[in-house]
Amino acid sequence: MDVSFNFDWTAAIAAVPHLLPGIPWTLLISFGGLAIGFIIGIIFGLMRISRLRGLRWMAVVYIEVFRGTPILVQVLFIFYGLPQLLGGPINALTAGIAAVAINSGAYISEIVRGGVQSIAQGQREAALSLGLSRRQTFRHVIWPQALRRMVPPLGNQAIISIKDTSLFSVIGVGELVRQGQIYIATTFTAMEVYFMVAILYLAITWTLSILLAQLERKGLAGE
Amino acid sequence: MTTPTQSDSSNAPIVDMQKLNKHFGSLHVLKDIDMEITPGEVVVVIGASGSGKSTLIRCINGLEEFQQGALEVAGKTLLPHGKGGQALQQIRTEVGMVFQQFNLFPHLSVRDNVTLAPMKVRRINQQQARDNALKLLKRVGIEDQADKYPTQLSGGQQQRVALARALAMEPRLMLFDEPTSALDPEMIGEVLDAMRELAREGMTMVVVTHEMGFAREVADRVIYIHQGEITEQGPPEQLFDAPQHERTQNFLGRILKH
């Protein structure tokens, strides 16, 4: 038996067309989930710093539960567990998007809280002293500044969530890793295929990094 | 400028503060402060750092709550513990404030800093708000910077924008909280000039400052605060040249000597 290291580039290249169909799924689950997660994050992030203790508590419980449990367990719970409760199956795509949404939502809540709290107290005081209401102060002065500061950590979270979707191969959704597994079952070229899967993830996350860097250079993010 | 209500005759005080007390936890910051400000008056508040002078003027527009006492500003009553929110916002539309750290909105251009409150609070249309903003910026000598962002300006220019921003609401009273303390020495003059001009036009002003030359020249009355109490007050020539209290003498001796 030949045990020498032998990476078969032809097999790696040949795998690519079989992997590409996974990319739309990966993007759909990640960005669909992140979009919902962003809305969840805004709601719970602001609840977290509310003056009302009840709202603060609800936000803390949500954040701690979904940040403190693995996303793999969350998606298994949604895909296999929830149907028992609902009395009908949940499709894998919905389960994946939901898992990314609630998981990234917990992290984004903290990003939102940090962003808002990082704005100097003097900004609030200046706006209030001009006669703006608390709501106007938030909307026109605090939030626009907080949003810019939130862009770099949000980009970070997006990259993490994109990679997290690789775990969803376990529920059979046809994302990148799942496509790789299906292909390997017929060719037995695990090293070449997973290598190309990794390259494709890198292509997605790298593109995102470059876009974010441009956003920061244009002054629409960060300070 | 004047509102046509019968009780609001021009001699009624615009600030009427009686037996005001404020605590920060166990710290008694303001003790039984009585203070009346008449329209058109320029009052300068002096005192050592930590004496409570900034806290005092921050009570006037409700940025600080007080615990006991009575406070009426521009005919509206402010209640202890920050209660009576309606009156609070109304008072703030009538009372402008300039801060030590400028506190300009960094995400807005100079022009938008000035037009924000008139458009959102007074509901003035954009064109009119912009015309007014340009006039105010001209008045403080920086109309050519309207399209820049605050961080592109010098400290002195930023503080003059902050002044224009406050004036855009057409306040009846202006509060200044150490407006030149964060400035490089060469920029202090331009800010004081703008304030001097404002005083000359008849604006009612309460100014916390360490600029004794400005106080002597512009103030109608100087108030000296020591450990949360008004120790002494009077016209500048009296307070600076013939202070009655030993504490005032000591304080003035310390700051005027160097």
Side-chain angles (χ1 to χ4, degrees), chain B residues 108-152:
Chain B
L108 299 179
S109 69
V110 163
R111 177 190 288 111
D112 292 346
N113 264 273
V114 181
T115 58
L116 179 67
M119 284 172 61
K120 299 300 171 194
V121 181
R122 295 248 194 261
R123 305 273 167 206
I124 289 171
N125 73 53
Q126 190 180 49
Q127 193 51 53
Q128 203 188 334
R130 289 187 165 193
D131 290 347
N132 287 344
L134 222 54
K135 268 182 226 157
L136 285 165
L137 290 171
K138 198 167 196 165
R139 194 163 139 194
V140 294
I142 34 177
E143 71 271 27
D144 49 339
Q145 314 283 348
D147 292 316
K148 290 197 177 164
Y149 282 81
T151 50
Q152 297 173 288

Side-chain angles (χ1 to χ4, degrees), chain A residues 121-134 136 139-142 144-145 148, chain B residues 58 61 63 89 92-93 95 97 99 103-107 116-117 120-121 123 165-166 169:
Chain A
Q121 188 63 16
Q123 291 291 307
R124 206 180 108 82
E125 291 183 354
L128 291 176
S129 80
L130 287 163
L132 270 73
S133 65
R134 298 163 52 94
Q136 288 172 325
R139 179 161 160 218
H140 300 293
V141 175
I142 307 296
Q145 295 185 58
R148 278 171 216 222
Chain B
R58 286 163 59 87
N61 69 348
L63 289 182
Q89 211 188 328
R92 285 170 175 164
T93 65
V95 178
M97 190 168 204
F99 299 86
N103 298 349
L104 291 179
F105 307 133
H107 61 299
L116 179 67
K120 299 300 171 194
V121 181
R123 305 273 167 206
R165 178 178 69 176
M169 287 296 286

